[in-house]
Amino acid sequence: MSNTPTAFEDNAQEFNDYLSSLFTETITAHPLQPIIRPNIAYITFEGARSFRDSPSVELDNGCRIRISQTILPNPEVPSGVTTKKYVYAYALGADPRRDWLVRYDYAPDALTNHPAAHVHFNGISDTYNSFLNAEEKPLRDVHFPTDRITVEDFIEHLVREYDVPTRRG
């Protein structure tokens, strides 16, 4: 077996480096680090031990973000990659798995009946609770359809809406 990276592995590393630079040049010093296999790669913040592990990082406003993106070789563009799945989450508290406020998901291959690109809100609405049985389907479990969200849009949203300080003023 050769130690020479495949074209996909090179492309995955290049895509990771691009995404990572978007974060490190704007809102955090923490780089993204891929876990790369021959035909799939998982991109998240440094420290992930597996494809399901998604570490969070603290931003300068005290909140946290969790980012994960799974990519595959692009069948139409051999020199490119394509997104299989992503999760971009913003958390107000110390535990981003519990304290998240908003989470953007994209999962086109999911075997469910929700939109491939959607957003979740972790909140409480008395109107929602009185209209539906919120114990059976809490508001945080509702899949609100959206277009795919780019990392650039997610970062801009954090800066504009939550006053996340930028690294370069």
Side-chain angles (χ1 to χ4, degrees):
M1 179 169 209
S2 171
N3 289 335
T4 305
T6 66
F8 170 72
E9 291 168 328
D10 287 341
N11 296 339
Q13 184 64 56
E14 185 176 321
F15 185 66
N16 172 83
D17 295 348
Y18 168 72
L19 289 181
S20 186
S21 73
L22 294 174
F23 287 101
T24 60
E25 293 176 8
T26 57
I27 61 173
T28 182
H30 299 278
L32 297 172
Q33 181 175 343
I35 299 172
I36 302 174
R37 303 289 182 259
N39 288 307
I40 190 168
Y42 183 71
I43 297 170
T44 190
F45 286 110
E46 199 169 27
R49 293 174 299 280
S50 71
F51 273 40
R52 293 195 172 265
D53 194 10
S54 181
S56 68
V57 297
E58 185 172 348
L59 301 175
D60 288 344
N61 68 348
C63 296
R64 302 185 77 79
I65 57 173
R66 227 176 19 95
I67 305 297
S68 68
Q69 188 147 6
T70 305
I71 59 174
L72 303 170
N74 187 324
E76 297 171 13
V77 182
S79 63
V81 298
T82 190
T83 300
K84 176 180 171 59
K85 178 180 180 181
Y86 69 65
V87 175
Y88 310 145
Y90 181 68
L92 301 177
D95 182 355
R97 298 221 182 254
R98 187 189 72 229
D99 300 332
W100 59 275
L101 174 66
V102 63
R103 190 180 80 226
Y104 297 96
D105 293 345
Y106 175 70
D109 295 336
L111 300 174
T112 61
N113 61 354
H114 57 71
H118 56 273
V119 63
H120 294 274
F121 302 99
N122 190 8
I124 297 171
S125 166
D126 291 336
T127 305
Y128 175 82
N129 292 346
S130 65
F131 181 71
L132 295 171
N133 185 349
E135 290 180 14
E136 289 181 25
K137 186 157 191 160
L139 185 59
R140 71 179 174 271
D141 292 342
V142 177
H143 300 82
F144 294 94
T146 185
D147 285 337
R148 287 178 62 175
I149 302 295
T150 65
V151 168
E152 294 91 339
D153 288 339
F154 179 68
I155 292 170
E156 183 177 359
H157 172 74
L158 298 177
V159 171
R160 290 182 185 266
E161 298 294 330
Y162 306 112
D163 296 321
V164 172
T166 57
R167 297 180 45 81
R168 301 208 172 133

